[in-house]
Amino acid sequence: MESLETEIKSLIKVWITVILCLTYCYLISRNIPKGTPRLISILPIIPIFISLPLYLSWALFVGTIAFFITWLASFKLVLFSFNQGPLSSPSISFQHFISIACFPINFKSTRNPRSSSPPSSSYLVYALKGLVLVLLVYFSEYRQYVHPSLVHFMYCIFIYFKLELVLIITAELVEFFLGLELEPQFNQPFLSTSLQDFWGKRWNLMVTGILRPTIYQPVQLICVRGFGKRCARLIALLATFVVSGLMHELIVYYVARVWPTWEMTGFFVLHGVSLAVEVELKRCLGVKYQLPTFVSGPLTVGFVLVTGSWLFFPQFLMCGADVRAIKEYTTIWKSIVGLVKDVK
C-alpha cells in the first residue's frame, strides 16, 4: 500500500485530470448539436474516466473515484450528449457543471433565502452515525471472535453509514459554497415497506435517478414494440439491475484488482427478479390484498440484509477490502491527530 502522502499526490493528479476533461465537455461539447455528434465528441473522455481508479491504490480513494467519476460522471455525460440529465440545463454555469458532474448530487433550484437550515436533530443523528462508524472500525480488530453473520451485518451498517455520511458531507459542502438546494441521497431505507419502496424511493436516490434515463427508459422504449408495454417494463427493470450489478463488480475490481466472481451481480439480478414479481403481484392483487406495513417492512429489510450477507458482502470480505479500508481510516486518523499536535 502506498504511503498517504504518495496517495494524496496521485489523488490530486486524478482530480486535475477530471476537471480538465469536464472543462473540455463544458466548453467544446456543449456547443455541438445534441445526439450522435455530441456523443462522439464526449466518447474519448469515457475511457479516461474508466482508467482513473487504476492510478490509485487506497481502497477509500479508489472506491470514491470509481463511484463518483467512472460510474456516475460517465453516465451523466452520456445523458448530456442527448441533452438530458442534470448537466443539460442551458443556463448551467461552469462551476455548477463541474460540481454536478464530479459528485453524486443534483439540485432542485437556487437556494431560497427564507428556507430554514437543517434541524439540529439531523446533525445529532449524523454525529451518532459517525460514532457508530468509529466503533465499528474499533471492533473490527476482534472480528475473528465474532460470528460471520454478525460480521456481515456490521459490515452492512458500516457501508450504509459510510456512504450516507460521505454523500451528506459532499452535499453540504456543495450547498454551502454554491448556494444550491440539493436533493436528498437517502430517505431512511430501513423504513422501507417494499422492494419497490426501497430501490425506487429510499436507497441511493442519485443512482436511481441516473439509471432510470440511461438504462430503464431506453430499454423500455426499444422493447415496447416487440413485447408490449407490460413485458417491456419488466425487461427494462431487469436490465437496470443487471447494469447496476456490473458497475458494482467493476468497483470491486478496482478496489481488489481481482476478477469478479459474480456474486454481486447475482445479488442485483435476484433483487431485480424479486422486484418484478412484487410489481406483478401488486398489479394482479391490487391494494386490497397488500400486506400491512408492520409486516411488509420487516420482511423487506430482512430480505435485503439476508441476501446482502449471502451475495453482496462476501466478495468484499474475501478480497480483504474491509481490512484495507479500516487500516486506511486508521492511518488517516493518526495523520490528522499528528497534524493537530504539531499545530499546538
Side-chain angles (χ1 to χ4, degrees):
M1 185 174 70
E2 298 285 351
S3 66
L4 178 59
E5 182 179 357
T6 302
E7 189 71 2
I8 292 295
K9 291 179 180 178
S10 299
L11 185 63
I12 292 173
K13 293 178 181 178
V14 165
W15 277 114
I16 291 175
T17 303
V18 170
I19 293 173
L20 290 176
C21 289
L22 292 175
T23 301
Y24 158 79
C25 294
Y26 181 81
L27 296 176
I28 306 297
S29 299
R30 76 189 314 265
N31 294 316
I32 298 175
K34 67 178 180 179
T36 303
R38 188 183 295 180
L39 179 62
I40 292 174
S41 70
I42 284 176
L43 279 180
I45 302 300
I46 306 300
I48 297 175
F49 282 2
I50 292 175
S51 67
L52 288 178
L54 299 176
Y55 293 94
L56 302 169
S57 61
W58 281 41
L60 171 62
F61 301 133
V62 171
T64 301
I65 293 297
F67 178 47
F68 285 13
I69 306 302
T70 304
W71 183 356
L72 295 184
S74 297
F75 278 43
K76 289 175 187 177
L77 289 179
V78 172
L79 288 176
F80 172 65
S81 300
F82 298 94
N83 207 31
Q84 299 179 26
L87 301 177
S88 60
S89 173
S91 61
I92 190 171
S93 65
F94 174 73
Q95 61 266 32
H96 289 171
F97 186 93
I98 298 295
S99 301
I100 293 172
C102 283
F103 303 109
I105 58 174
N106 196 2
F107 64 90
K108 295 184 254 187
S109 61
T110 55
R111 184 195 297 270
N112 182 354
R114 296 183 180 180
S115 63
S116 58
S117 59
S120 57
S121 58
S122 298
Y123 295 113
L124 178 59
V125 171
Y126 297 146
L128 290 175
K129 290 180 178 180
L131 178 60
V132 171
L133 278 179
V134 173
L135 293 176
L136 289 175
V137 170
Y138 175 77
F139 284 114
S140 65
E141 299 180 3
Y142 306 95
R143 53 179 290 184
Q144 65 270 26
Y145 305 110
V146 181
H147 192 276
S149 298
L150 183 57
V151 172
H152 288 176
F153 177 75
M154 292 170 59
Y155 198 56
C156 175
I157 300 298
F158 179 83
I159 289 290
Y160 166 53
F161 281 2
K162 185 189 79 170
L163 182 58
E164 184 180 33
L165 289 175
V166 167
L167 294 178
I168 287 294
I169 291 171
T170 301
E172 289 289 337
L173 289 174
V174 173
E175 187 171 1
F176 177 79
F177 286 109
L178 298 181
L180 300 175
E181 184 182 359
L182 303 177
E183 295 179 346
Q185 304 300 320
F186 289 93
N187 183 21
Q188 298 178 310
F190 286 104
L191 298 181
S192 302
T193 57
S194 66
L195 289 177
Q196 193 173 13
D197 184 36
F198 179 84
W199 290 111
K201 299 179 181 179
R202 293 185 180 274
W203 179 259
N204 209 348
L205 301 178
M206 186 70 230
V207 171
T208 301
I210 290 296
L211 288 176
R212 187 178 292 113
T214 53
I215 307 298
Y216 181 85
Q217 293 173 354
V219 172
Q220 183 183 19
L221 184 64
I222 293 171
C223 295
V224 70
R225 294 182 179 178
F227 300 96
K229 291 183 179 180
R230 181 180 172 185
C231 288
R233 284 195 295 266
L234 297 178
I235 294 172
L237 178 65
L238 293 175
T240 302
F241 275 87
V242 169
V243 170
S244 181
L246 293 176
M247 294 309 299
H248 280 82
E249 297 278 8
L250 181 61
I251 292 175
V252 173
Y253 171 77
Y254 286 134
V255 172
R257 306 294 162 89
V258 294
W259 289 107
T261 52
W262 307 113
E263 287 96 339
M264 196 166 290
T265 300
F267 169 82
F268 284 97
V269 170
L270 174 61
H271 275 257
V273 172
S274 301
L275 180 52
V277 171
E278 179 185 279
V279 170
E280 283 300 296
L281 285 175
K282 286 182 177 180
R283 190 189 67 83
C284 295
L285 299 178
V287 180
K288 182 179 178 181
Y289 295 98
Q290 290 185 19
L291 293 173
T293 302
F294 69 86
V295 175
S296 62
L299 285 177
T300 300
V301 175
F303 181 74
V304 173
L305 291 177
V306 170
T307 54
S309 296
W310 173 36
L311 294 171
F312 190 88
F313 296 111
Q315 199 164 344
F316 280 106
L317 299 175
M318 285 187 295
C319 68
D322 58 325
V323 177
R324 286 176 53 196
I326 289 168
K327 288 182 178 178
E328 291 165 7
Y329 280 115
T330 303
T331 301
I332 293 173
W333 176 252
K334 289 180 178 178
S335 299
I336 293 174
V337 172
L339 288 174
V340 171
K341 290 182 178 179
D342 290 341
V343 170
K344 291 181 177 180

